[in-house]
mmCIF file of all heavy atoms in Angstrom:
data_model
loop_
_atom_site.group_PDB
_atom_site.id
_atom_site.type_symbol
_atom_site.label_atom_id
_atom_site.label_comp_id
_atom_site.label_asym_id
_atom_site.label_seq_id
_atom_site.Cartn_x
_atom_site.Cartn_y
_atom_site.Cartn_z
ATOM 1 N N ARG A 665 -10.994 33.779 4.091
ATOM 2 C CA ARG A 665 -11.574 32.859 5.076
ATOM 3 C C ARG A 665 -10.466 32.167 5.861
ATOM 4 O O ARG A 665 -10.553 32.027 7.090
ATOM 5 C CB ARG A 665 -12.454 31.833 4.365
ATOM 6 C CG ARG A 665 -13.445 31.109 5.269
ATOM 7 C CD ARG A 665 -12.861 29.873 5.883
ATOM 8 N NE ARG A 665 -13.818 29.155 6.696
ATOM 9 C CZ ARG A 665 -13.497 28.135 7.472
ATOM 10 N NH1 ARG A 665 -12.247 27.714 7.548
ATOM 11 N NH2 ARG A 665 -14.414 27.525 8.195
ATOM 12 N N HIS A 666 -9.413 31.723 5.207
ATOM 13 C CA HIS A 666 -8.268 31.115 5.893
ATOM 14 C C HIS A 666 -7.639 32.107 6.873
ATOM 15 O O HIS A 666 -7.314 31.749 8.011
ATOM 16 C CB HIS A 666 -7.218 30.657 4.883
ATOM 17 C CG HIS A 666 -7.535 29.361 4.206
ATOM 18 N ND1 HIS A 666 -7.728 28.180 4.899
ATOM 19 C CD2 HIS A 666 -7.681 29.048 2.889
ATOM 20 C CE1 HIS A 666 -7.988 27.199 4.046
ATOM 21 N NE2 HIS A 666 -7.969 27.703 2.827
ATOM 22 N N LEU A 667 -7.470 33.334 6.434
ATOM 23 C CA LEU A 667 -6.856 34.347 7.283
ATOM 24 C C LEU A 667 -7.721 34.652 8.502
ATOM 25 O O LEU A 667 -7.208 34.806 9.615
ATOM 26 C CB LEU A 667 -6.604 35.625 6.482
ATOM 27 C CG LEU A 667 -5.565 35.539 5.365
ATOM 28 C CD1 LEU A 667 -5.531 36.839 4.569
ATOM 29 C CD2 LEU A 667 -4.181 35.225 5.924
ATOM 30 N N HIS A 668 -9.011 34.726 8.321
ATOM 31 C CA HIS A 668 -9.907 35.012 9.441
ATOM 32 C C HIS A 668 -9.944 33.858 10.435
ATOM 33 O O HIS A 668 -10.067 34.084 11.649
ATOM 34 C CB HIS A 668 -11.310 35.330 8.921
ATOM 35 C CG HIS A 668 -11.499 36.782 8.595
ATOM 36 N ND1 HIS A 668 -12.546 37.526 9.053
ATOM 37 C CD2 HIS A 668 -10.734 37.626 7.859
ATOM 38 C CE1 HIS A 668 -12.444 38.772 8.615
ATOM 39 N NE2 HIS A 668 -11.346 38.848 7.877
ATOM 40 N N GLU A 669 -9.827 32.640 9.946
ATOM 41 C CA GLU A 669 -9.748 31.508 10.864
ATOM 42 C C GLU A 669 -8.475 31.605 11.709
ATOM 43 O O GLU A 669 -8.499 31.354 12.928
ATOM 44 C CB GLU A 669 -9.765 30.191 10.099
ATOM 45 C CG GLU A 669 -9.771 28.963 11.003
ATOM 46 C CD GLU A 669 -9.794 27.656 10.235
ATOM 47 O OE1 GLU A 669 -9.671 27.681 8.992
ATOM 48 O OE2 GLU A 669 -9.924 26.606 10.878
ATOM 49 N N LEU A 670 -7.379 31.984 11.089
ATOM 50 C CA LEU A 670 -6.133 32.172 11.834
ATOM 51 C C LEU A 670 -6.272 33.301 12.847
ATOM 52 O O LEU A 670 -5.743 33.212 13.963
ATOM 53 C CB LEU A 670 -4.980 32.465 10.870
ATOM 54 C CG LEU A 670 -4.563 31.315 9.947
ATOM 55 C CD1 LEU A 670 -3.434 31.770 9.011
ATOM 56 C CD2 LEU A 670 -4.112 30.089 10.735
ATOM 57 N N LEU A 671 -6.992 34.357 12.496
ATOM 58 C CA LEU A 671 -7.223 35.447 13.432
ATOM 59 C C LEU A 671 -8.003 34.960 14.655
ATOM 60 O O LEU A 671 -7.746 35.385 15.778
ATOM 61 C CB LEU A 671 -7.996 36.587 12.757
ATOM 62 C CG LEU A 671 -7.213 37.495 11.821
ATOM 63 C CD1 LEU A 671 -8.153 38.503 11.154
ATOM 64 C CD2 LEU A 671 -6.093 38.222 12.557
ATOM 65 N N TRP A 672 -8.958 34.053 14.426
ATOM 66 C CA TRP A 672 -9.726 33.479 15.542
ATOM 67 C C TRP A 672 -8.788 32.770 16.519
ATOM 68 O O TRP A 672 -8.834 32.977 17.728
ATOM 69 C CB TRP A 672 -10.780 32.519 14.994
ATOM 70 C CG TRP A 672 -11.580 31.816 16.058
ATOM 71 C CD1 TRP A 672 -11.234 30.673 16.733
ATOM 72 C CD2 TRP A 672 -12.833 32.236 16.609
ATOM 73 N NE1 TRP A 672 -12.205 30.338 17.655
ATOM 74 C CE2 TRP A 672 -13.200 31.282 17.596
ATOM 75 C CE3 TRP A 672 -13.688 33.305 16.351
ATOM 76 C CZ2 TRP A 672 -14.384 31.377 18.322
ATOM 77 C CZ3 TRP A 672 -14.872 33.392 17.073
ATOM 78 C CH2 TRP A 672 -15.201 32.440 18.044
ATOM 79 N N TYR A 673 -7.915 31.925 15.967
ATOM 80 C CA TYR A 673 -6.990 31.169 16.814
ATOM 81 C C TYR A 673 -5.987 32.093 17.508
ATOM 82 O O TYR A 673 -5.703 31.927 18.704
ATOM 83 C CB TYR A 673 -6.232 30.138 15.980
ATOM 84 C CG TYR A 673 -7.092 29.046 15.387
ATOM 85 C CD1 TYR A 673 -6.863 28.583 14.094
ATOM 86 C CD2 TYR A 673 -8.115 28.447 16.115
ATOM 87 C CE1 TYR A 673 -7.636 27.577 13.542
ATOM 88 C CE2 TYR A 673 -8.894 27.451 15.565
ATOM 89 C CZ TYR A 673 -8.654 27.009 14.279
ATOM 90 O OH TYR A 673 -9.423 26.009 13.732
ATOM 91 N N LEU A 674 -5.447 33.051 16.769
ATOM 92 C CA LEU A 674 -4.440 33.952 17.342
ATOM 93 C C LEU A 674 -5.034 34.844 18.425
ATOM 94 O O LEU A 674 -4.379 35.131 19.428
ATOM 95 C CB LEU A 674 -3.825 34.816 16.241
ATOM 96 C CG LEU A 674 -2.812 34.109 15.326
ATOM 97 C CD1 LEU A 674 -2.532 34.951 14.091
ATOM 98 C CD2 LEU A 674 -1.518 33.814 16.076
ATOM 99 N N THR A 675 -6.271 35.271 18.230
ATOM 100 C CA THR A 675 -6.933 36.087 19.241
ATOM 101 C C THR A 675 -7.093 35.311 20.534
ATOM 102 O O THR A 675 -6.853 35.838 21.637
ATOM 103 C CB THR A 675 -8.314 36.556 18.732
ATOM 104 O OG1 THR A 675 -8.138 37.340 17.557
ATOM 105 C CG2 THR A 675 -9.035 37.387 19.770
ATOM 106 N N GLU A 676 -7.478 34.046 20.421
ATOM 107 C CA GLU A 676 -7.607 33.200 21.617
ATOM 108 C C GLU A 676 -6.243 32.987 22.268
ATOM 109 O O GLU A 676 -6.100 33.099 23.493
ATOM 110 C CB GLU A 676 -8.214 31.855 21.242
ATOM 111 C CG GLU A 676 -8.312 30.888 22.418
ATOM 112 C CD GLU A 676 -9.006 29.588 22.083
ATOM 113 O OE1 GLU A 676 -9.852 29.582 21.165
ATOM 114 O OE2 GLU A 676 -8.710 28.576 22.736
ATOM 115 N N ALA A 677 -5.238 32.679 21.453
ATOM 116 C CA ALA A 677 -3.903 32.416 21.992
ATOM 117 C C ALA A 677 -3.354 33.631 22.729
ATOM 118 O O ALA A 677 -2.781 33.515 23.817
ATOM 119 C CB ALA A 677 -2.955 32.018 20.854
ATOM 120 N N HIS A 678 -3.541 34.814 22.136
ATOM 121 C CA HIS A 678 -2.995 36.028 22.730
ATOM 122 C C HIS A 678 -3.674 36.382 24.049
ATOM 123 O O HIS A 678 -3.101 37.086 24.891
ATOM 124 C CB HIS A 678 -3.122 37.193 21.746
ATOM 125 C CG HIS A 678 -2.326 38.394 22.115
ATOM 126 N ND1 HIS A 678 -2.865 39.482 22.782
ATOM 127 C CD2 HIS A 678 -1.005 38.685 21.931
ATOM 128 C CE1 HIS A 678 -1.931 40.382 22.978
ATOM 129 N NE2 HIS A 678 -0.794 39.934 22.477
ATOM 130 N N ALA A 679 -4.895 35.886 24.256
ATOM 131 C CA ALA A 679 -5.630 36.176 25.483
ATOM 132 C C ALA A 679 -5.310 35.199 26.615
ATOM 133 O O ALA A 679 -5.725 35.423 27.754
ATOM 134 C CB ALA A 679 -7.134 36.155 25.203
ATOM 135 N N LEU A 680 -4.571 34.142 26.328
ATOM 136 C CA LEU A 680 -4.281 33.133 27.342
ATOM 137 C C LEU A 680 -3.126 33.589 28.246
ATOM 138 O O LEU A 680 -2.021 33.828 27.771
ATOM 139 C CB LEU A 680 -3.899 31.800 26.683
ATOM 140 C CG LEU A 680 -5.029 31.048 25.975
ATOM 141 C CD1 LEU A 680 -4.455 29.873 25.188
ATOM 142 C CD2 LEU A 680 -6.059 30.548 26.985
ATOM 143 N N PRO A 681 -3.368 33.684 29.543
ATOM 144 C CA PRO A 681 -2.284 34.076 30.459
ATOM 145 C C PRO A 681 -1.076 33.144 30.382
ATOM 146 O O PRO A 681 0.071 33.579 30.507
ATOM 147 C CB PRO A 681 -2.954 34.006 31.838
ATOM 148 C CG PRO A 681 -4.411 34.230 31.565
ATOM 149 C CD PRO A 681 -4.657 33.541 30.253
ATOM 150 N N ALA A 682 -1.332 31.852 30.169
ATOM 151 C CA ALA A 682 -0.237 30.886 30.122
ATOM 152 C C ALA A 682 0.707 31.137 28.950
ATOM 153 O O ALA A 682 1.868 30.712 28.972
ATOM 154 C CB ALA A 682 -0.790 29.462 30.038
ATOM 155 N N ALA A 683 0.207 31.830 27.922
ATOM 156 C CA ALA A 683 1.025 32.094 26.733
ATOM 157 C C ALA A 683 1.797 33.398 26.844
ATOM 158 O O ALA A 683 2.398 33.850 25.866
ATOM 159 C CB ALA A 683 0.148 32.118 25.493
ATOM 160 N N ARG A 684 1.826 33.989 28.037
ATOM 161 C CA ARG A 684 2.480 35.282 28.213
ATOM 162 C C ARG A 684 3.933 35.296 27.711
ATOM 163 O O ARG A 684 4.382 36.307 27.156
ATOM 164 C CB ARG A 684 2.419 35.705 29.688
ATOM 165 C CG ARG A 684 2.861 37.148 29.927
ATOM 166 C CD ARG A 684 2.517 37.631 31.324
ATOM 167 N NE ARG A 684 1.080 37.817 31.476
ATOM 168 C CZ ARG A 684 0.296 37.070 32.250
ATOM 169 N NH1 ARG A 684 0.812 36.071 32.924
ATOM 170 N NH2 ARG A 684 -0.983 37.314 32.345
ATOM 171 N N PRO A 685 4.698 34.214 27.891
ATOM 172 C CA PRO A 685 6.089 34.252 27.403
ATOM 173 C C PRO A 685 6.215 34.525 25.895
ATOM 174 O O PRO A 685 7.253 35.014 25.444
ATOM 175 C CB PRO A 685 6.623 32.858 27.755
ATOM 176 C CG PRO A 685 5.808 32.438 28.938
ATOM 177 C CD PRO A 685 4.439 32.978 28.658
ATOM 178 N N ILE A 686 5.174 34.201 25.134
ATOM 179 C CA ILE A 686 5.258 34.440 23.685
ATOM 180 C C ILE A 686 4.213 35.457 23.224
ATOM 181 O O ILE A 686 3.929 35.544 22.030
ATOM 182 C CB ILE A 686 5.123 33.125 22.882
ATOM 183 C CG1 ILE A 686 3.788 32.428 23.178
ATOM 184 C CG2 ILE A 686 6.290 32.201 23.165
ATOM 185 C CD1 ILE A 686 3.525 31.249 22.234
ATOM 186 N N HIS A 687 3.654 36.228 24.154
ATOM 187 C CA HIS A 687 2.686 37.252 23.775
ATOM 188 C C HIS A 687 3.218 38.226 22.725
ATOM 189 O O HIS A 687 2.479 38.591 21.793
ATOM 190 C CB HIS A 687 2.197 38.009 25.011
ATOM 191 C CG HIS A 687 1.032 37.343 25.676
ATOM 192 N ND1 HIS A 687 0.404 37.867 26.771
ATOM 193 C CD2 HIS A 687 0.379 36.186 25.390
ATOM 194 C CE1 HIS A 687 -0.573 37.064 27.140
ATOM 195 N NE2 HIS A 687 -0.607 36.032 26.326
ATOM 196 N N PRO A 688 4.467 38.693 22.827
ATOM 197 C CA PRO A 688 4.954 39.600 21.773
ATOM 198 C C PRO A 688 4.919 38.969 20.383
ATOM 199 O O PRO A 688 4.522 39.617 19.409
ATOM 200 C CB PRO A 688 6.387 39.906 22.218
ATOM 201 C CG PRO A 688 6.355 39.718 23.702
ATOM 202 C CD PRO A 688 5.443 38.558 23.926
ATOM 203 N N GLU A 689 5.334 37.712 20.284
ATOM 204 C CA GLU A 689 5.319 37.033 18.990
ATOM 205 C C GLU A 689 3.895 36.821 18.498
ATOM 206 O O GLU A 689 3.600 36.995 17.307
ATOM 207 C CB GLU A 689 6.031 35.682 19.108
ATOM 208 C CG GLU A 689 7.523 35.783 19.379
ATOM 209 C CD GLU A 689 8.112 34.426 19.752
ATOM 210 O OE1 GLU A 689 8.370 33.631 18.834
ATOM 211 O OE2 GLU A 689 8.289 34.170 20.962
ATOM 212 N N LEU A 690 3.002 36.448 19.408
ATOM 213 C CA LEU A 690 1.600 36.271 19.040
ATOM 214 C C LEU A 690 0.993 37.593 18.587
ATOM 215 O O LEU A 690 0.227 37.639 17.619
ATOM 216 C CB LEU A 690 0.811 35.702 20.214
ATOM 217 C CG LEU A 690 1.061 34.238 20.548
ATOM 218 C CD1 LEU A 690 0.467 33.885 21.910
ATOM 219 C CD2 LEU A 690 0.467 33.324 19.468
ATOM 220 N N GLY A 691 1.338 38.661 19.276
ATOM 221 C CA GLY A 691 0.832 39.975 18.905
ATOM 222 C C GLY A 691 1.269 40.380 17.515
ATOM 223 O O GLY A 691 0.478 40.930 16.733
ATOM 224 N N ARG A 692 2.544 40.111 17.194
ATOM 225 C CA ARG A 692 3.041 40.460 15.853
ATOM 226 C C ARG A 692 2.346 39.613 14.785
ATOM 227 O O ARG A 692 2.010 40.129 13.703
ATOM 228 C CB ARG A 692 4.560 40.265 15.801
ATOM 229 C CG ARG A 692 5.344 41.333 16.557
ATOM 230 C CD ARG A 692 6.827 41.270 16.253
ATOM 231 N NE ARG A 692 7.461 40.060 16.790
ATOM 232 C CZ ARG A 692 7.958 39.947 18.016
ATOM 233 N NH1 ARG A 692 7.888 40.978 18.853
ATOM 234 N NH2 ARG A 692 8.531 38.829 18.420
ATOM 235 N N ALA A 693 2.137 38.336 15.080
ATOM 236 C CA ALA A 693 1.456 37.467 14.112
ATOM 237 C C ALA A 693 0.010 37.899 13.922
ATOM 238 O O ALA A 693 -0.532 37.867 12.801
ATOM 239 C CB ALA A 693 1.513 36.014 14.589
ATOM 240 N N LEU A 694 -0.624 38.311 15.006
ATOM 241 C CA LEU A 694 -1.996 38.787 14.947
ATOM 242 C C LEU A 694 -2.103 40.047 14.098
ATOM 243 O O LEU A 694 -2.964 40.171 13.218
ATOM 244 C CB LEU A 694 -2.489 39.052 16.375
ATOM 245 C CG LEU A 694 -3.953 39.405 16.614
ATOM 246 C CD1 LEU A 694 -4.879 38.354 16.038
ATOM 247 C CD2 LEU A 694 -4.191 39.570 18.104
ATOM 248 N N GLU A 695 -1.179 40.981 14.341
ATOM 249 C CA GLU A 695 -1.180 42.226 13.582
ATOM 250 C C GLU A 695 -0.882 41.980 12.110
ATOM 251 O O GLU A 695 -1.520 42.571 11.222
ATOM 252 C CB GLU A 695 -0.158 43.193 14.177
ATOM 253 C CG GLU A 695 -0.231 44.589 13.577
ATOM 254 C CD GLU A 695 0.573 45.592 14.375
ATOM 255 O OE1 GLU A 695 1.277 45.191 15.330
ATOM 256 O OE2 GLU A 695 0.493 46.783 14.038
ATOM 257 N N ARG A 696 0.075 41.090 11.835
ATOM 258 C CA ARG A 696 0.432 40.790 10.454
ATOM 259 C C ARG A 696 -0.737 40.137 9.711
ATOM 260 O O ARG A 696 -1.035 40.474 8.559
ATOM 261 C CB ARG A 696 1.663 39.878 10.413
ATOM 262 C CG ARG A 696 2.047 39.352 9.050
ATOM 263 C CD ARG A 696 2.318 40.458 8.056
ATOM 264 N NE ARG A 696 2.718 39.943 6.754
ATOM 265 C CZ ARG A 696 2.597 40.621 5.620
ATOM 266 N NH1 ARG A 696 2.082 41.846 5.613
ATOM 267 N NH2 ARG A 696 2.985 40.087 4.478
#
Side-chain angles (χ1 to χ4, degrees):
R665 198 271 182 189
H666 281 301
L667 293 174
H668 272 231
E669 184 180 7
L670 293 178
L671 283 176
W672 177 276
Y673 295 140
L674 284 166
T675 299
E676 177 176 333
H678 193 263
L680 290 171
R684 190 168 289 112
I686 59 171
H687 273 182
E689 293 169 80
L690 287 167
R692 287 191 292 273
L694 187 55
E695 188 168 6
R696 173 58 179 157

